């Protein structure tokens, strides 16, 4: 018996549920396209994963941590926004600020599905939403 390693040599960590158990990719891929699931991500950061229209997992995981003062917040599927309850910041479906006071887009995590597991990595490449270097690295 070999336990599944929860970190990889290249800096990846398995996405986990609220009990700390790794989430099989199939569990999220069974959701309807456009669905989002909140998982425990890198260093336990709450992170939203998205099922894309083609039924795969979006490679952009969105960290659920307001860039104003760090509140966490729900995804609102009706408005298609992340809505921070603390001071009213709004973010679009990709984590871009729609309304402040949040000063920056939500942090990203890179998502990869390998052998049925969901691996998360620090996002170090250009931020595809801004074309700039990520503000968090
Ligand atoms: Fe989110 Fe202030 S912490 S708007």
């Amino acid at each position: 018996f070999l336990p599944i390693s929860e970190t990889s040599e290249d800096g990846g960590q398995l996405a986990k549920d609220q009990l700390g158990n790794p989430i099989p990719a199939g569990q999220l891929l069974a959701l309807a396209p456009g669905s989002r699931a909140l998982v425990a991500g890198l260093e336990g950061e709450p992170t939203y994963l998205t099922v894309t229209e083609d039924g795969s997992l979006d490679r952009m995981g969105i960290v659920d941590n307001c860039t104003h003062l760090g509140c966490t917040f729900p995804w609102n599927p009706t408005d298609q926004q992340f809505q921070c309850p603390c001071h009213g910041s709004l973010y679009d479906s990709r984590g871009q600020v729609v309304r402040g006071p949040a000063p920056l887009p939500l942090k990203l995590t890179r998502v990869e599905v390998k052998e049925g597991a969901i691996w998360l990595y620090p996002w170090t490449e250009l931020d595809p939403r801004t074309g700039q270097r990520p503000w968090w690295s």
Side-chain angles (χ1 to χ4, degrees), residues 38-74:
L38 190 59
V39 305
L42 295 177
E43 313 300 337
E45 284 182 320
T47 303
Y48 272 101
L49 306 185
T50 308
V51 180
T52 63
E53 291 304 319
D54 69 6
S56 59
L57 272 189
D58 194 318
R59 64 189 292 270
M60 285 194 336
I62 298 179
V63 177
D64 183 22
N65 212 334
C66 187
T67 59
H68 180 223
L69 293 174
C71 287
T72 56
F73 39 77

